[in-house]
């Protein structure tokens, strides 16, 4: 099943939403430039770069990335970039939503990669229950790495006397972030894997082709 069928939004509308958010990211970059805020500029620029990844995967590696998956990715990075304008500090639930959505993407990447390896190698068998646990553990591990990175970048910014690109708000915030990371992984583990079937199949085929070419 395509993600767009589940969303109930036409493919054309999803592509328009994606383009609108991409243009908005360019606008956010210039807002950051006007404010002299390096954090806004870097986060919006990285977010815009990530929105280009689906097109590169589809064009150069023949990985199927339909409009729904592209919208999923774009929404996650767009909301993060918007958050740097103020919602992260002024809207209490913004950080939770962005962590949950970003974690669902991380879970999707982890699932698609490992499932492709499973399908590619006949000597490897990963039971569905293992995959469910793996997705959650993968997301939590990535979340811990991200929190450590936030802490390091924030501390470095304080030492250098500049404004940190990433901000760490304390132990309670870290625990809440990991909780919502886990919730995002759970959403993907329960509902999201069905929408990644085409991606995992294409990855497995590419691994098969590469192995055959190396023989």
């Amino acid at each position: 099943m395509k993600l767009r069928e589940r969303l109930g939004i036409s493919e054309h509308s999803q592509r328009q939403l994606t383009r609108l958010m991409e243009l908005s990211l360019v606008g956010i970059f210039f807002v950051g430039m006007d404010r002299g805020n390096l954090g806004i500029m870097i986060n919006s620029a990285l977010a815009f770069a990530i929105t280009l990844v689906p097109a590169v995967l589809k064009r150069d590696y023949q990985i199927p990335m339909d409009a729904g998956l592209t919208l999923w990715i774009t929404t996650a990075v767009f909301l993060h970039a918007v958050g740097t304008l103020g919602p992260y500090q002024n809207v209490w639930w913004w950080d939770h939503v962005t962590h949950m959505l970003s974690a669902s993407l991380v879970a999707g990447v982890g699932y698609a990669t490992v499932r492709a390896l499973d399908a590619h190698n006949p000597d490897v068998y990963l039971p569905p229950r293992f995959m469910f646990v793996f997705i959650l553990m993968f997301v939590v591990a990535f979340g811990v790495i991200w929190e450590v990175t936030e802490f390091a970048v924030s501390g470095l910014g304080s030492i250098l006397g500049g404004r940190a690109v990433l901000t760490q708000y304390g132990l309670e915030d870290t625990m809440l972030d990991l909780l919502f990371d886990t919730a995002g992984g759970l959403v993907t583990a329960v509902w999201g894997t069905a929408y990644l079937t085409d991606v995992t199949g294409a990855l497995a085929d590419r691994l098969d082709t590469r192995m055959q070419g190396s023989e």
Side-chain angles (χ1 to χ4, degrees):
M1 180 185 294
K2 299 294 185 181
L3 187 57
R4 63 174 178 270
E5 296 173 3
R6 185 70 176 181
L7 291 173
I9 307 175
S10 70
E11 182 175 351
H12 177 68
S13 296
Q14 291 182 50
R15 293 191 186 282
Q16 284 186 319
L17 285 171
T18 298
R19 296 292 178 267
L20 178 61
M21 285 188 282
E22 288 174 341
L23 289 173
S24 298
L25 286 171
V26 175
I28 292 172
F29 177 85
F30 283 107
V31 169
M33 184 180 294
D34 180 65
R35 294 182 182 180
N37 190 314
L38 184 62
I40 294 176
M41 294 169 62
I42 291 177
N43 280 284
S44 58
L46 287 176
F48 182 79
I50 291 173
T51 67
L52 303 179
V53 171
V56 173
L57 292 176
K58 186 174 183 178
R59 182 194 64 201
D60 295 345
Y61 301 98
Q62 291 74 54
I63 304 299
M65 302 293 294
D66 67 18
L69 288 174
T70 303
L71 180 61
W72 182 11
I73 294 169
T74 304
T75 301
V77 296
F78 171 73
L79 291 179
H80 169 67
V82 171
T84 62
L85 294 175
Y88 275 139
Q89 291 77 32
N90 304 324
V91 182
W92 67 267
W93 48 263
W94 195 273
D95 186 46
H96 305 328
V97 171
T98 55
H99 265 275
M100 186 171 172
L101 191 55
S102 298
S104 71
L105 278 181
V106 171
V109 171
Y111 169 80
T113 303
V114 174
R115 185 68 185 86
L117 292 172
D118 179 26
H120 163 70
N121 192 335
D123 296 327
V124 176
Y125 171 66
L126 302 176
R129 289 184 179 179
F130 172 83
M131 290 302 300
F132 184 88
V133 174
F134 168 79
I135 289 173
L136 295 182
M137 294 300 99
F138 182 79
V139 166
V140 171
F142 188 89
V144 170
I145 293 173
W146 178 261
E147 295 300 326
V148 171
T149 302
E150 278 190 344
F151 179 80
V153 172
S154 180
L156 184 62
S158 298
I159 293 173
L160 297 178
R163 181 175 296 179
V165 176
L166 298 173
T167 305
Q168 222 283 336
Y169 295 101
L171 182 60
E172 182 179 353
D173 177 71
T174 297
M175 294 299 101
L176 281 173
D177 287 347
L178 292 176
L179 178 63
F180 281 93
D181 287 344
T182 304
L186 185 62
V187 169
T188 299
V190 175
W191 291 292
T193 55
Y195 307 113
L196 297 168
T197 302
D198 292 344
V199 176
T200 57
L203 287 173
D205 291 343
R206 189 165 185 83
L207 287 173
D208 291 339
T209 301
R210 185 177 292 274
M211 288 296 295
Q212 292 171 4
S214 63
E215 292 178 354

